[in-house]
Amino acid sequence: MLDRPFDYIGAMQCENKILRKKVAEYESGERYQRIKEDHKKVLEEYRRQIERQKHELEDLRRQIKKIWSWCEEAYADALKEFEKKLDEMERALKAEQVLRIAAEQAHDAQKDANRMLRHELYEVKTALEDEKGKTKKLLAQLNRDYENSSIPSSRSVHHKKISNNRERSGRKPGAQPGHVHHGRKKQTPTQIVLLPPPDGILHDPDFRKTKKEIVKQLVKIRLVLDVTEYHANVYYNSKTGERVHAAFPAGVINDVNYDGSVKALLFLLNTDCAASIDKSRRLLSDLTGGKLNISKGMINKLCREFASKTEDDRKKVFVDLLSAPVMHTDCTNARVNGKSAYVFVCFDPGEQQTLYFAREKKGHEGVKETVVQDYQGILVHDHESTFYHYGTRHQECLAHVQRYLKNSMENEPSLTWNKEMRSLLQRMIHYRNEHADEVSLDLDVVTGFESEYHAILEKAREEYEYEPPGDYYRDGYNLYRRMQKKEAEHLLFLHDLRVPTTNNTAERCLRDVKRKQTFVMAFRSFESLDYLCQSKSVLLGVRKNNLNVYDAVVNIFNT
């Protein structure tokens, strides 16, 4: 530790000596001369390097010039070759352009031709689809009969043989041994004829009369005119000039009058039996040996007279129908002097009462002043939308639905929902008929039917999405939408056993009017159709309440 200061001082002394030597050299100029000489040597060296670089640069310039001339020559040659190739390519391009333009023109022409062909193909396909739709519609119309539409069986050209599902027993037709004999009913004899024994029997001692007697009747009918002629002496008052005679009984007004027996016969023939006026008067004339030749005008007025005498009866039936829990209703068309008219029917299945209403218009105008207008019960009808605005609940006629489903099966054979729905309806109706006497149906069974109903409608939706209905035949699709929208109205019979499954009763009631329409072709006046409806309304009630309709009608005419 003590030696370090002396070393430091020694070093500093040495360094000081060196510095003093340098200062002396600078002061004497010797150091400057050396630096100048060294600088001169460096400058010379730089000058030599610059000269060398100048020579090298000159050589490079000459090389570059030579190389540039070579490049220019190569460029010129390459440019000539390029221009030559460019000319060849331009000529080829022009040729290609000519070919391309020709090809484009041919392509455009082909496109126009294809466009025309596609247009023609589209028109042909459209026309083909239209023709297919029309053919399908026409086939559906041609194949319509009483099994797949509302056409009555009487209008069907080709009737199928009605199959007999009963098993053959091998017995002969007719009464079977051991069964009670149901012979013809014997009548009270008006004349008894005792037949004599065969010849030789009375004088033959071997034959004796027994207690057994064989009785056989020969029934004949004949029409006897029962004519009551009233005579009344006329008394003359010489003072007052007054003439007086005894009063004739009620109904005896004209010189010749006909009581209810004649009127009832002609009325029933013309109205109930749908015989024409000419045939009715001819039959009566033949039965009386030509003595009674009733005028056509009188026969024509019988409906009006019968209707006027039974007005109170119809009012009572009207009130009774309003209180019925379930009522059938339907409508059919008629012809009056070449114009359309309509007949509405209302039927109570409980009390078996019926009313007909003649109307000039259909829809809500036709429903006015009928029982349907103010009815508050359950209406059974077909899919006529007008009836849905009346009553509280509704039941669609399933007979119509099954016929429409069969029509869909025949015209849409690729679909399966229609077959399954028809089978389901048949099973539901069969189950309902088997338990008709019960209070209500099994809820689990009904729920199962409803679930199956929904599943089939869902299948119908999928099938129509995959195969949409055409423009000409949409009956099956419309039926599916209607059954989907009106589900409660198609299945009400499962929840209320008072509700029938079909509207066949109302349709049967309208058959009488249609049968009359067939004979008359067209009614002369709307009043004639109205009187016919009023008369038939009462006749059905008379037939239900009386064993002898003729006597009942006679009493009505005689009142």
Side-chain angles (χ1 to χ4, degrees):
M1 294 296 291
L2 296 176
D3 293 339
R4 286 185 180 181
F6 296 101
D7 293 339
Y8 177 73
I9 294 171
M12 291 298 293
Q13 289 176 354
C14 290
E15 185 178 356
N16 188 18
K17 187 184 288 186
I18 293 170
L19 291 174
R20 284 178 181 177
K21 184 179 180 181
K22 287 183 179 180
V23 171
E25 289 177 356
Y26 279 114
E27 288 177 353
S28 63
E30 185 181 355
R31 184 74 176 172
Y32 175 75
Q33 288 295 328
R34 283 200 308 270
I35 293 173
K36 189 175 180 180
E37 290 176 358
D38 293 337
H39 177 68
K40 187 176 180 180
K41 291 178 181 179
V42 172
L43 287 177
E44 289 294 330
E45 182 65 27
Y46 280 152
R47 287 191 187 98
R48 287 192 297 271
Q49 291 180 1
I50 289 171
E51 289 296 329
R52 285 197 305 269
Q53 289 179 356
K54 285 182 178 179
H55 291 300
E56 291 177 358
L57 181 61
E58 188 65 27
D59 292 339
L60 288 174
R61 284 177 179 173
R62 286 194 297 270
Q63 291 179 3
I64 289 172
K65 189 175 181 181
K66 186 177 181 179
I67 293 171
W68 183 250
S69 64
W70 291 348
C71 289
E72 287 180 348
E73 292 176 0
Y75 173 74
D77 295 338
L79 183 61
K80 289 181 181 178
E81 186 68 23
F82 175 73
E83 289 177 351
K84 182 179 179 181
K85 290 183 178 180
L86 185 62
D87 292 338
E88 291 177 357
M89 291 179 66
E90 286 180 352
R91 288 193 297 270
L93 181 60
K94 289 181 180 179
E96 290 293 333
Q97 286 179 348
V98 173
L99 294 176
R100 181 179 61 81
I101 292 172
E104 287 180 352
Q105 292 176 350
H107 180 65
D108 292 339
Q110 190 64 36
K111 284 177 66 177
D112 294 338
N114 289 340
R115 188 182 300 110
M116 294 297 295
L117 289 175
R118 285 198 302 270
H119 183 68
E120 292 178 1
L121 179 62
Y122 176 76
E123 291 181 348
V124 170
K125 284 187 174 181
T126 303
L128 180 61
E129 289 297 325
D130 289 342
E131 292 301 324
K132 284 183 177 179
K134 292 178 182 178
T135 302
K136 192 173 184 179
K137 181 180 180 180
L138 291 174
L139 287 175
Q141 292 176 351
L142 290 174
N143 294 329
R144 289 180 63 195
D145 55 18
Y146 63 95
E147 292 185 344
N148 58 19
S149 68
S150 299
I151 298 177
S153 58
S154 59
R155 291 178 55 189
S156 297
V157 179
H158 303 289
H159 285 277
K160 296 181 180 179
K161 181 180 178 181
I162 300 176
S163 59
N164 190 347
N165 296 325
R166 293 180 299 177
E167 296 181 0
R168 293 183 177 273
S169 62
R171 302 172 183 174
K172 294 182 179 180
Q176 301 299 321
H179 288 200
V180 178
H181 176 64
H182 299 283
R184 298 184 179 96
K185 182 180 179 181
K186 290 189 176 182
Q187 306 296 327
T188 303
T190 56
Q191 179 183 5
I192 298 177
V193 177
L194 182 62
L195 298 177
D199 296 338
I201 295 300
L202 289 176
H203 303 288
D204 191 341
D206 295 333
F207 286 95
R208 289 180 298 174
K209 182 179 179 181
T210 64
K211 295 181 179 180
K212 183 178 180 181
E213 185 179 26
I214 300 175
V215 178
K216 296 183 179 182
Q217 291 184 343
L218 177 63
V219 180
K220 298 183 292 184
I221 61 171
R222 59 174 179 162
L223 186 63
V224 179
L225 287 181
D226 186 5
V227 181
T228 302
E229 189 173 72
Y230 296 94
H231 295 258
N233 294 322
V234 179
Y235 296 90
Y236 175 72
N237 190 328
S238 59
K239 293 182 179 180
T240 61
E242 181 182 5
R243 297 179 184 272
V244 180
H245 63 78
F248 287 92
V252 181
I253 301 172
N254 303 315
D255 293 341
V256 178
N257 303 274
Y258 302 101
D259 77 338
S261 61
V262 178
K263 293 179 179 179
L265 176 61
L266 294 173
F267 171 77
L268 291 174
L269 286 173
N270 180 243
T271 303
D272 194 43
C273 301
S276 66
I277 293 177
D278 289 332
K279 289 183 178 180
S280 299
R281 65 189 297 269
R282 186 167 62 246
L283 175 63
L284 183 59
S285 176
D286 293 341
L287 290 175
T288 59
K291 294 179 180 180
L292 284 183
N293 289 307
I294 309 298
S295 67
K296 296 181 181 180
M298 176 189 167
I299 301 176
N300 188 43
K301 294 178 181 179
L302 291 177
C303 265
R304 181 176 62 184
E305 182 180 350
F306 187 83
S308 64
K309 290 179 177 293
T310 56
E311 183 177 0
D312 294 337
D313 296 333
R314 293 196 306 276
K315 290 181 179 179
K316 182 179 181 302
V317 174
F318 193 102
V319 174
D320 293 341
L321 287 176
L322 284 175
S323 60
V326 179
M327 186 175 72
H328 294 264
T329 186
D330 203 353
C331 174
T332 188
N333 63 306
R335 300 291 293 176
V336 177
N337 278 337
K339 296 182 180 180
S340 294
Y342 302 92
V343 176
F344 288 79
V345 65
C346 300
F347 175 78
D348 176 12
E351 297 297 328
Q352 299 289 310
Q353 297 187 109
T354 310
L355 279 182
Y356 295 91
F357 301 91
R359 293 292 181 266
E360 295 180 347
K361 295 183 179 180
K362 203 178 179 182
H364 296 287
E365 289 294 325
V367 173
K368 285 183 179 180
E369 299 182 4
T370 66
V371 183
V372 177
Q373 184 180 15
D374 299 317
Y375 185 68
Q376 298 299 318
I378 300 174
L379 278 176
V380 182
H381 54 84
D382 54 16
H383 54 276
E384 175 63 44
S385 59
T386 302
F387 295 135
Y388 276 105
H389 294 82
Y390 306 93
T392 55
R393 290 188 295 172
H394 303 266
Q395 171 64 50
E396 282 258 2
C397 177
L398 297 185
H400 283 78
V401 176
Q402 290 190 79
R403 289 197 291 265
Y404 299 152
L405 286 170
K406 185 174 182 180
N407 183 267
S408 174
M409 291 163 55
E410 294 173 351
N411 294 282
E412 297 174 320
S414 60
L415 306 183
T416 59
W417 80 273
N418 41 29
K419 306 178 185 65
E420 295 181 9
M421 182 61 76
R422 192 165 187 264
S423 175
L424 173 63
L425 290 180
Q426 290 174 346
R427 286 190 285 113
M428 287 193 296
I429 294 173
H430 184 69
Y431 176 77
R432 159 71 162 73
N433 293 338
E434 284 183 342
H435 300 80
D437 297 332
E438 299 180 6
V439 178
S440 62
L441 300 180
D442 189 346
L443 184 59
D444 293 337
V445 177
V446 173
T447 304
F449 282 144
E450 291 178 341
S451 300
E452 192 171 352
Y453 184 89
H454 297 156
I456 295 174
L457 289 181
E458 179 64 21
K459 176 179 286 189
R461 183 189 64 80
E462 295 174 355
E463 291 181 342
Y464 281 119
E465 284 183 355
Y466 180 77
E467 187 176 346
D471 295 332
Y472 294 95
Y473 183 82
R474 300 179 63 88
D475 294 351
Y477 178 76
N478 293 338
L479 176 62
Y480 146 67
R481 293 301 303 273
R482 190 164 59 246
M483 295 186 73
Q484 184 183 47
K485 183 179 179 181
K486 302 291 185 181
E487 175 189 345
E489 286 74 13
H490 284 80
L491 302 180
L492 180 60
F493 71 99
L494 293 176
H495 301 275
D496 193 337
L497 295 181
R498 298 174 301 173
V499 180
T501 58
T502 68
N503 196 35
N504 292 343
T505 308
E507 293 187 359
R508 284 194 292 268
C509 292
L510 288 176
R511 286 179 189 172
D512 286 340
V513 179
K514 297 296 290 185
R515 194 175 295 114
K516 181 68 175 179
Q517 173 74 45
T518 303
F519 280 97
V520 301
M521 300 301 291
F523 291 94
R524 295 297 183 185
S525 65
F526 181 78
E527 288 74 16
S528 299
L529 176 62
D530 191 22
Y531 292 141
L532 175 68
C533 292
Q534 295 177 23
S535 300
K536 281 194 170 294
S537 299
V538 179
L539 268 180
L540 290 179
V542 170
R543 188 175 297 279
K544 180 179 73 74
N545 298 321
N546 298 274
L547 297 176
N548 194 322
V549 179
Y550 175 76
D551 289 342
V553 175
V554 169
N555 293 332
I556 292 174
F557 274 112
N558 285 334
T559 55

